[in-house]
Amino acid sequence: SGINAEYGRVVSIGVSGATLVSCLTGHQVVITDWDTMDVLHSVDYSHHDVMGVCMWEEKIVLMGVSVLYLDSKTFEEDFCKTFDSTIKAFQLLPDDNTLLLLENSGKVTFVRHD
């Protein structure tokens, strides 16, 4: 796709409605319109070491050494929390509005979404 050619290798994706969120090597996050593949938003999140993305309700959740929530319509940052080490794995617990995180250090953290 044009995303690969222009920005680098895709390492994680999330899809919500007509929006595709791609996290690329170099910590670039590219948000595109699924139908047209037009780039709607592109930001370098290297200062957060972002390497993972998922969609949660009306939020785009970016994960690295920080967890960031972006509004899925405006792409504005709603929340940011930095951790001691990079997020290695995560699990959404939608019934509890909770994000379960496993840090590289082995620490497990719960982040509630209110």
Side-chain angles (χ1 to χ4, degrees), residues 23-29 43-51 62-66 68 86:
C23 184
L24 297 98
T25 53
H27 314 291
Q28 188 79 14
V29 173
V43 178
D44 180 340
Y45 281 105
S46 57
H47 56 292
H48 291 292
D49 199 23
V50 170
M51 288 301 288
L62 306 174
M63 287 164 279
V65 75
S66 301
L68 297 100
T86 303

Side-chain angles (χ1 to χ4, degrees), residues 3-107:
I3 295 171
N4 283 356
E6 228 176 300
Y7 295 99
R9 184 173 63 89
V10 176
V11 294
S12 182
I13 61 168
V15 177
S16 178
T19 305
L20 168 67
V21 181
S22 304
C23 184
L24 297 98
T25 53
H27 314 291
Q28 188 79 14
V29 173
V30 179
I31 303 171
T32 56
D33 181 289
W34 183 255
D35 296 324
T36 65
M37 293 309 286
D38 290 338
V39 174
L40 305 173
H41 190 66
S42 175
V43 178
D44 180 340
Y45 281 105
S46 57
H47 56 292
H48 291 292
D49 199 23
V50 170
M51 288 301 288
V53 62
C54 70
M55 308 302 278
W56 186 13
E57 296 177 358
E58 296 296 315
K59 303 291 179 215
I60 298 167
V61 182
L62 306 174
M63 287 164 279
V65 75
S66 301
V67 171
L68 297 100
Y69 297 167
L70 305 180
D71 183 281
S72 62
K73 295 186 181 6
T74 65
F75 314 123
E76 295 288 322
E77 190 176 303
D78 284 347
F79 171 83
C80 179
K81 180 174 171 99
T82 301
F83 295 88
D84 296 331
S85 63
T86 303
I87 305 302
K88 183 165 118 173
F90 68 93
Q91 178 67 48
L92 291 172
L93 306 172
D95 293 342
D96 296 328
N97 283 335
T98 302
L99 183 62
L100 176 64
L101 305 170
L102 172 61
E103 295 180 49
N104 229 9
S105 64
K107 182 179 174 186

